[in-house]
Amino acid sequence: MLQSGKKPQVKALIYNAYKDWVKTVDKDVKNYEKNWPFTLSDNVTLTDKGIDIRYQHYAIAPYVYGMPVLSIPYDKLVGIIQPRFIPK
């Protein structure tokens, strides 16, 4: 799905989405990340608005937060994922 050589760019986008998500559950992102560090997930879903990256319990959050989903809109993915995956 990614264009060649674009893994660092998509990782940065997902990490930013992770930080935004953390801010919804904790005020201190750096402190939160010490206990629940960011990792990439292979569980990706294409939606009508972008891609959703789903995490299993305990991957980036305590069980009480369920299975977190980080979303990246298509407008941020232009030039990163192959054009055929971006709806017109």
Side-chain angles (χ1 to χ4, degrees):
M1 183 165 60
L2 291 178
Q3 293 186 24
S4 180
K6 297 298 182 172
K7 189 171 182 176
Q9 287 90 337
V10 79
K11 184 177 180 179
L13 286 173
I14 298 169
Y15 180 63
N16 285 334
Y18 163 81
K19 290 189 296 186
D20 290 341
W21 177 82
V22 169
K23 290 174 189 173
T24 69
V25 297
D26 195 314
K27 293 178 184 177
D28 187 351
V29 175
K30 287 191 183 279
N31 188 47
Y32 180 92
E33 195 169 11
K34 288 177 186 175
N35 295 315
W36 300 100
F38 170 73
T39 61
L40 289 177
S41 172
D42 292 333
N43 298 322
V44 177
T45 304
L46 297 170
T47 71
D48 59 335
K49 296 178 182 161
I51 61 170
D52 285 348
I53 302 95
R54 181 173 301 279
Y55 287 84
Q56 296 297 320
H57 297 286
Y58 299 111
I60 61 169
Y63 185 84
V64 71
Y65 293 135
M67 297 174 68
V69 177
L70 307 178
S71 299
I72 311 293
Y74 285 118
D75 63 341
K76 292 185 178 181
L77 295 166
V78 174
I80 295 175
I81 64 172
Q82 296 176 21
R84 70 177 185 226
F85 293 110
I86 298 177
K88 295 180 182 191

